[in-house]
Amino acid sequence: MIKAYLRSEDSFRQISVEPDELVELDAGSLIWLDLLSPSPDELTTVERSLKIELPTRQESEEIEFSSRFWEDETGIDINTYFLVRQEEKFHNETVSFILRGNFVVTIRFSDHRIFTEFSRKLRLSPRSFRDGADILSGILAMRVDMDADTLEALSRGIASLGRRDPQSFENPTEYLAHITDYEDINITIRENLTDKHRVLSSLLKSASISENLKKEFSMMMKDVNSLVISANFNFERLDYIQNLFLNHLSVEQNKVIKIFTVMSVIFLPPTMIASIYGMNYKHMPELEWVFGYPFALTLIVLSAVLPLYIFKKKGWL
């Protein structure tokens, strides 16, 4: 099913239609057509019904900028990243906007929460959205706000990690794993913001966009620039935390090395003396002891295992 948003005076009407039913819609009242995970056959039917050309999923995911933004006499095509969270992982998915005349077509392959929230906003404030370009502007503005919230939450998490004592983690690799996860999220957000910056920059240069909308896009551009600065600061903070952690590990390793050095100095003279004389004295009680040999083997094993156990327990190994 396809969601169609029709404008009537000062209100919007949302309906679900089949692709074949699009020809029966009043093109003058259509303002937004939302396609969620459309099949190739559905895309072909929509193209034939609305007399427009839609990108395939493979085309929308092209990374060349000429494929991310395209404008000609018929309208504007935009492929831009939307941040998607699955459990604790983030990744970017492409959402396509096809602006034609007074309506816009969106093509997405995930059920983004932002579209549900914007649909609600559209019905509550119908006078704020007159055509498809306003819909495009409203969705992008809400997406930038959500990216800002995500980046702010990430910054709080990084700050909290920086205040934690590395020794509070059971294993040093766990601390490094947290740093790596935060870096991956920040890279994903940074890539998303860079893509938004390119799209907004192109919209500001477009002759099809009204001056009022260009002012809104200009404000979004400033917000995106501020978020990019925040993302870059997160990288610097993560580098700082990682350097502190590595310095902490170096201090701990130096302590262990110091202990090993002291133990070597302590046991080296007795070992050397025992090696010189061989402990082969005529009057040694253990020589006549039946269990002398097993006892010696037991002492050898204990002398090897006991230090390993102690060092392991103290986290030196």
Side-chain angles (χ1 to χ4, degrees):
M1 297 294 287
I2 300 173
K3 291 182 180 179
Y5 295 82
L6 307 175
R7 183 181 181 90
S8 57
E9 297 180 356
D10 290 335
S11 63
F12 282 101
R13 184 163 55 96
Q14 174 186 333
I15 60 174
S16 297
V17 296
E18 295 289 347
D20 295 335
E21 298 173 349
L22 289 175
V23 293
E24 302 175 4
L25 293 179
D26 181 10
S29 62
L30 178 64
I31 190 173
W32 178 22
L33 199 66
D34 185 28
L35 309 179
L36 176 58
S37 300
S39 65
D41 292 338
E42 289 177 330
L43 288 176
T44 301
T45 305
V46 172
E47 287 179 332
R48 186 171 58 251
S49 300
L50 298 180
K51 296 180 176 58
I52 61 175
E53 185 176 350
L54 301 176
T56 63
R57 184 168 190 176
Q58 182 178 1
E59 292 172 342
S60 66
E61 292 178 351
E62 293 289 338
I63 61 175
E64 292 84 359
F65 181 67
S66 58
S67 301
R68 309 297 289 175
F69 186 96
W70 176 263
E71 181 176 9
D72 56 21
E73 63 278 0
T74 61
I76 298 176
D77 292 0
I78 298 173
N79 296 313
T80 184
Y81 286 140
F82 273 51
L83 199 63
V84 178
R85 177 175 182 176
Q86 292 179 342
E87 296 179 354
E88 296 300 323
K89 299 294 183 179
F90 287 82
H91 68 277
N92 288 315
E93 286 193 2
T94 299
V95 175
S96 299
F97 294 84
I98 297 87
L99 188 62
R100 295 290 185 273
N102 291 325
F103 69 90
V104 65
V105 179
T106 56
I107 303 175
R108 52 195 175 96
F109 294 90
S110 293
D111 192 10
H112 300 284
R113 179 170 58 92
I114 183 175
F115 285 86
T116 302
E117 294 186 4
F118 182 76
S119 175
R120 188 182 304 111
K121 181 179 180 181
L122 186 63
R123 293 191 295 271
L124 294 175
S125 305
R127 295 184 180 181
S128 301
F129 305 96
R130 299 175 300 277
D131 54 23
D134 289 335
I135 300 292
L136 168 64
S137 175
I139 294 176
L140 289 180
M142 186 174 287
R143 181 65 261 179
V144 171
D145 289 341
M146 286 187 173
D147 291 342
D149 293 339
T150 303
L151 190 59
E152 182 179 356
L154 176 63
S155 299
R156 289 197 300 268
I158 294 173
S160 176
L161 179 65
R163 290 191 294 267
R164 289 189 62 178
D165 184 359
Q167 292 183 344
S168 63
F169 292 87
E170 295 182 359
N171 195 312
T173 56
E174 185 180 351
Y175 193 83
L176 283 175
H178 278 76
I179 296 177
T180 302
D181 289 342
Y182 283 139
E183 285 182 339
D184 288 342
I185 296 173
N186 202 56
I187 289 172
T188 303
I189 296 175
R190 182 69 170 78
E191 182 182 19
N192 184 287
L193 294 173
T194 301
D195 181 76
K196 289 287 188 301
H197 187 279
R198 289 199 299 261
V199 168
L200 291 172
S201 178
S202 299
L203 286 170
L204 288 173
K205 299 175 185 177
S206 173
S208 305
I209 303 299
S210 66
E211 291 301 322
N212 289 333
L213 277 183
K214 284 185 178 181
K215 292 179 181 178
E216 295 183 12
F217 290 139
S218 180
M219 292 298 297
M220 290 184 216
M221 178 81 82
K222 292 179 181 179
D223 292 339
V224 169
N225 289 335
S226 298
L227 295 179
V228 169
I229 294 174
S230 298
N232 292 337
F233 177 72
N234 283 343
F235 282 124
E236 295 176 1
R237 176 177 282 181
L238 286 169
D239 286 340
Y240 174 73
I241 293 174
Q242 185 170 342
N243 289 334
L244 283 180
F245 176 66
L246 294 177
N247 290 336
H248 172 78
L249 283 183
S250 297
V251 172
E252 294 298 320
Q253 289 174 351
N254 289 335
K255 290 181 180 178
V256 176
I257 293 173
K258 182 179 179 180
I259 293 173
F260 285 155
T261 303
V262 172
M263 292 184 63
S264 299
V265 172
I266 292 174
F267 290 105
L268 183 58
T271 303
M272 182 182 67
I273 294 172
S275 300
I276 293 174
Y277 289 96
M279 301 301 288
N280 296 317
Y281 296 104
K282 183 177 181 179
H283 300 288
M284 290 183 66
E286 292 84 2
L287 293 177
E288 302 296 332
W289 188 25
V290 177
F291 300 103
Y293 181 69
F295 178 72
L297 290 180
T298 303
L299 286 179
I300 292 172
V301 173
L302 286 177
S303 65
V305 173
L306 188 60
L308 288 175
Y309 172 75
I310 295 174
F311 297 158
K312 191 84 172 179
K313 189 173 182 180
K314 288 185 174 295
W316 296 343
L317 295 177

